[in-house]
Amino acid sequence: MGRLNYSITPEGRFARAMGVELPISPKHAREICRAIRGMKVDAAERYLQDVVALKRAVPFRRYNRNVPHRRGLVGWPSGRFPQKAARAVLRVLKNAVGNAEYRGLDREKLMIGYANTKKGRTFRGWMPRAMGRATPKNQETVSIEMILTEVR
């Protein structure tokens, strides 16, 4: 595994966190990061908790082939409820908020300035089939990078 580093270093007051090699779907993680980018921290936490509770859908703008319409989405009809990825992103967000509080930032003024995903390692596996054959069964991983900035 190569060494991961943050993509950007913003100016001003910020806090950041990274989840490395999380066993979640890269497509789901990317769509969630796009959905929460630019939100206030409290709104993003509520949003992710609602996604886990199947109350709000995440709009799938890029990976939307055969994705059904969901009620309540504004501006984009297709979406899903990626619970596992939402839990992982919520964990990274809480870690970033903890880092911000440690650095003395005001939680009420924090905004998600940068949320991005990077493809991690793929763990190769196989699944036995009939007649002595095998089918690949790989586990993809994702690294999530999140930077919170303090707004006025």
Side-chain angles (χ1 to χ4, degrees), residues 46-99:
R46 268 183 272 125
Y47 179 77
L48 292 173
Q49 288 167 352
D50 286 348
V51 170
V52 171
L54 303 177
K55 292 179 182 173
R56 291 177 69 181
V58 175
F60 272 48
R61 296 177 189 267
R62 182 172 180 156
Y63 307 104
N64 57 5
R65 186 172 183 173
N66 296 329
V67 175
H69 293 187
R70 295 293 179 194
R71 189 178 350 154
L73 289 177
V74 177
W76 196 262
S78 58
R80 284 190 170 152
F81 301 97
Q83 293 177 301
K84 185 176 176 184
R87 278 190 210 103
V89 173
L90 184 61
R91 201 165 49 238
V92 173
L93 178 63
K94 287 182 178 176
N95 194 358
V97 169
N99 291 341

Side-chain angles (χ1 to χ4, degrees), residues 2-146:
R3 182 173 169 82
L4 276 180
N5 204 356
Y6 290 97
S7 298
I8 61 170
T9 303
E11 295 179 9
R13 296 168 55 89
F14 67 93
R16 57 192 179 182
M18 185 182 283
V20 179
E21 291 196 350
L22 304 170
I24 58 175
S25 165
K27 296 177 182 179
H28 292 178
R30 184 178 185 140
E31 296 288 355
I32 289 173
C33 284
R34 179 191 306 217
I36 65 170
R37 197 175 299 139
M39 282 187 180
K40 292 275 196 171
V41 168
D42 293 333
E45 275 188 4
R46 268 183 272 125
Y47 179 77
L48 292 173
Q49 288 167 352
D50 286 348
V51 170
V52 171
L54 303 177
K55 292 179 182 173
R56 291 177 69 181
V58 175
F60 272 48
R61 296 177 189 267
R62 182 172 180 156
Y63 307 104
N64 57 5
R65 186 172 183 173
N66 296 329
V67 175
H69 293 187
R70 295 293 179 194
R71 189 178 350 154
L73 289 177
V74 177
W76 196 262
S78 58
R80 284 190 170 152
F81 301 97
Q83 293 177 301
K84 185 176 176 184
R87 278 190 210 103
V89 173
L90 184 61
R91 201 165 49 238
V92 173
L93 178 63
K94 287 182 178 176
N95 194 358
V97 169
N99 291 341
E101 290 173 351
Y102 178 77
R103 295 185 78 172
L105 303 179
D106 186 12
R107 182 189 168 100
E108 303 298 322
K109 297 179 181 176
L110 289 177
M111 185 185 81
I112 299 175
Y114 186 82
N116 201 3
T117 62
K118 295 177 181 176
K119 186 177 178 185
R121 285 190 293 181
T122 300
F123 295 104
R124 303 184 66 93
W126 57 275
M127 183 170 54
R129 293 293 188 171
M131 313 294 284
R133 295 175 293 170
T135 300
K137 186 176 182 182
N138 300 332
Q139 174 67 53
E140 293 182 307
T141 61
V142 176
S143 296
I144 298 174
E145 179 181 0
M146 192 169 299

